[in-house]
Amino acid sequence: MKFLSHCLNQVTGKHTVILIDEYDVPLENAYFKGFYEEMADFIRSLFESALKTNECLQFAVITGCLQISKESIFTGLNHLNSISVLNKRYSEHFGFTKAEALRMMRYYEAESRFPTMKEWYDGYTFGDAEVYNPWSAINFMYDLYSDPKAFPHPYWGNTSSNDIIKDMIAQADRETRGQIETLLNGGMLDMQVHEEITYEDMHGRGENLWNFLYFTGYLTKKNEYFKESAIFLQVKIPNVEVRTIYQTTIRGWFRQKIEKQDFRDLYYAMEAGDAEKMRDILSEQLVSTISFYDSAENFYHGFLAGILSQSENYLVQSNRESGDGRPDLVVKSPSLRGRSFVLEVKVSASVDDLEKDAQKALRQIKEKNYTRELKAEGYKKVDCYGLSFYRKDCEVRFGKQEQRRAQSGGGKNGHTKDSTDRI
């Protein structure tokens, strides 16, 4: 780069302008692949020769998610003018303003979809300006131009690496998981600003992680204040697009996590009608995972289906997409001589409603005759479970078919214990 600058200077008689985009992408890749120090040495050598000792340089513009750290990249290079997302001088130029987004949609006669554009791609605060993600806004507009009813997509998530979030989730302790859940449910976190954070600093201390997510676009500023000689921010997830990226990454992490676990005890409990054991196992899993409750029914449904799908002895059928008249989950043996189960899921409004709602789910199986299809297929052994969830707690109720209950006897009124009902 220094040699090319000299060549251009000789040909034109002018000093050279050097533009370097996304300087930190090689550093990000190197960090997650295990050769960060080697890449940092290379970047340092490259940049110092081009920018520090280059007498033919007019000026340079370097862009990236992370601010250039003088200590880690540019030893002794002191004439940098850093413009971060906190800077108010160029704040509106980091993305589209509301007026620009509206003008674009009017031009393409798609103004009626502006609420969706705002919900999915707005929400970033740079300096004092609130802006839209320009890449995602353009892509959504491109889709709307050919189909005015096009659905929004997480366009930014499809182009960027989400290794940052994967690494964050994999190393999250209980406190960090709780903070992630707060963010996913629309809450905010307070953090002290550290602008010269590097990839090596990501897990150095608790606030480093939130700084890292803020400067890479996964969080945005809601409020800013000054306290004890330091700048503090209240940060949140900016929009639906970014929240979708978090949720998709968490689902992938959860699938990988449960694939490594042995859930035979859960199936043994389900086969034995041990509702209390099932409750304990599921509650333990809820405590160790990261939850998001804005779409609570879908979350718990996916949580339960993911765990039950680990058995090689049963098939799991999810009927949520079929609407009313079908049970939430059907679990059945490939052999008609084997066992089969119907599971109905409820989400409670409070922890005090768990038992009532689990019982309600069990009654719904009977009232809507959810066992009918399994019986029609030829299954003789069909057991039923009503499950209710509230945040990290769950309740399970077990019921048997009327026919099997009469054959096997039971206690007074056909009940053997509080968690068992007759279907």
Side-chain angles (χ1 to χ4, degrees), residues 120-121 124 133 135-136 153-166 168-169 184 213 216-218 237-253 292:
W120 272 75
Y121 311 117
Y124 293 97
N133 181 326
W135 170 259
S136 298
H153 295 284
Y155 303 102
W156 182 55
N158 294 335
T159 61
S160 63
S161 169
N162 295 322
D163 288 340
I164 297 170
I165 294 182
K166 293 176 185 176
M168 169 195 72
I169 293 169
L184 285 168
L213 292 172
T216 52
Y218 292 100
I237 294 175
N239 50 44
V240 174
E241 178 182 42
V242 178
R243 187 165 70 247
T244 300
I245 294 172
Y246 277 97
Q247 292 176 347
T248 301
T249 306
I250 289 169
R251 288 189 184 104
W253 163 78
F292 38 92

Side-chain angles (χ1 to χ4, degrees), residues 105 108-114 116-117 140-152:
M105 299 193 80
Y108 289 104
E109 299 179 350
E111 190 177 357
S112 64
R113 300 300 306 278
F114 180 73
T116 302
M117 174 78 82
F140 185 46
M141 196 63 255
Y142 181 82
D143 288 346
L144 289 176
Y145 186 67
S146 58
D147 179 9
K149 297 181 179 180
F151 297 123

Side-chain angles (χ1 to χ4, degrees), residues 121-132:
Y121 311 117
D122 186 21
Y124 293 97
T125 302
F126 296 135
D128 289 332
E130 185 171 316
V131 299
Y132 291 68

Side-chain angles (χ1 to χ4, degrees), residues 186-238:
M188 294 185 292
L189 298 179
D190 287 70
M191 71 173 209
Q192 183 179 342
V193 175
H194 299 285
E195 290 197 66
E196 291 194 353
I197 193 169
T198 68
Y199 285 92
E200 286 186 312
D201 301 327
M202 195 189 312
H203 299 289
R205 50 186 172 181
E207 60 196 18
N208 282 359
L209 173 61
W210 310 118
N211 271 271
F212 205 90
L213 292 172
Y214 171 69
F215 284 109
T216 52
Y218 292 100
L219 295 173
T220 192
K221 177 182 73 174
K222 179 65 175 178
N223 296 304
E224 181 179 356
Y225 59 95
F226 194 77
K227 178 182 177 183
E228 298 176 354
S229 304
I231 298 174
F232 286 81
L233 302 178
Q234 286 185 316
V235 294
K236 64 173 186 174
I237 294 175

Side-chain angles (χ1 to χ4, degrees), residues 2-287:
K2 183 176 182 179
F3 171 72
L4 287 172
S5 298
H6 278 265
C7 292
L8 287 168
N9 178 253
Q10 288 185 21
V11 171
T12 66
K14 298 179 181 180
H15 284 172
T16 305
V17 175
I18 295 179
L19 309 177
I20 302 172
D21 190 26
E22 295 190 339
Y23 90 93
D24 53 350
V25 169
L27 292 168
E28 177 188 351
N29 292 332
Y31 174 80
F32 289 109
K33 297 297 183 182
F35 58 97
Y36 180 83
E37 286 298 331
E38 293 89 334
M39 181 58 74
D41 288 342
F42 171 74
I43 295 289
R44 186 180 300 113
S45 173
L46 176 70
F47 283 11
E48 286 187 356
S49 66
L51 307 178
K52 181 180 177 182
T53 61
N54 186 356
E55 63 272 19
C56 295
L57 178 68
Q58 180 71 24
F59 67 87
V61 177
I62 306 169
T63 69
C65 290
L66 299 184
Q67 179 171 312
I68 295 173
S69 170
K70 300 185 182 99
E71 289 76 16
S72 65
I73 300 296
F74 288 153
T75 304
L77 187 62
N78 298 315
H79 56 288
L80 290 171
N81 181 20
S82 179
I83 303 169
S84 78
V85 294
L86 294 171
N87 191 289
K88 298 179 182 180
R89 185 172 184 179
Y90 300 100
S91 57
E92 68 182 60
H93 301 295
F94 280 98
F96 293 151
T97 64
K98 177 181 178 180
E100 290 168 338
L102 264 172
R103 188 160 64 247
M104 175 176 65
M105 299 193 80
R106 285 174 183 148
Y107 181 85
Y108 289 104
E109 299 179 350
E111 190 177 357
S112 64
R113 300 300 306 278
F114 180 73
T116 302
M117 174 78 82
K118 180 175 178 61
E119 182 184 27
W120 272 75
Y121 311 117
D122 186 21
Y124 293 97
T125 302
F126 296 135
D128 289 332
E130 185 171 316
V131 299
Y132 291 68
N133 181 326
W135 170 259
S136 298
I138 288 173
N139 275 274
F140 185 46
M141 196 63 255
Y142 181 82
D143 288 346
L144 289 176
Y145 186 67
S146 58
D147 179 9
K149 297 181 179 180
F151 297 123
H153 295 284
Y155 303 102
W156 182 55
N158 294 335
T159 61
S160 63
S161 169
N162 295 322
D163 288 340
I164 297 170
I165 294 182
K166 293 176 185 176
D167 191 64
M168 169 195 72
I169 293 169
Q171 300 191 40
D173 56 19
R174 180 171 294 184
E175 180 182 3
T176 303
R177 289 199 299 266
Q179 290 169 319
I180 296 170
E181 290 172 353
T182 296
L183 291 168
L184 285 168
N185 287 289
M188 294 185 292
L189 298 179
D190 287 70
M191 71 173 209
Q192 183 179 342
V193 175
H194 299 285
E195 290 197 66
E196 291 194 353
I197 193 169
T198 68
Y199 285 92
E200 286 186 312
D201 301 327
M202 195 189 312
H203 299 289
R205 50 186 172 181
E207 60 196 18
N208 282 359
L209 173 61
W210 310 118
N211 271 271
F212 205 90
L213 292 172
Y214 171 69
F215 284 109
T216 52
Y218 292 100
L219 295 173
T220 192
K221 177 182 73 174
K222 179 65 175 178
N223 296 304
E224 181 179 356
Y225 59 95
F226 194 77
K227 178 182 177 183
E228 298 176 354
S229 304
I231 298 174
F232 286 81
L233 302 178
Q234 286 185 316
V235 294
K236 64 173 186 174
I237 294 175
N239 50 44
V240 174
E241 178 182 42
V242 178
R243 187 165 70 247
T244 300
I245 294 172
Y246 277 97
Q247 292 176 347
T248 301
T249 306
I250 289 169
R251 288 189 184 104
W253 163 78
F254 178 67
R255 282 194 297 268
Q256 294 176 359
K257 179 174 178 286
I258 63 175
E259 285 173 0
K260 300 176 182 178
Q261 298 187 54
D262 187 346
F263 287 101
R264 280 180 290 187
D265 286 347
L266 177 63
Y267 267 98
Y268 292 155
M270 193 162 71
E271 291 167 346
D274 191 342
E276 293 180 5
K277 181 68 173 177
M278 286 182 64
R279 178 197 63 197
D280 293 343
I281 294 173
L282 293 174
S283 295
E284 182 180 351
Q285 289 299 315
L286 283 170
V287 169

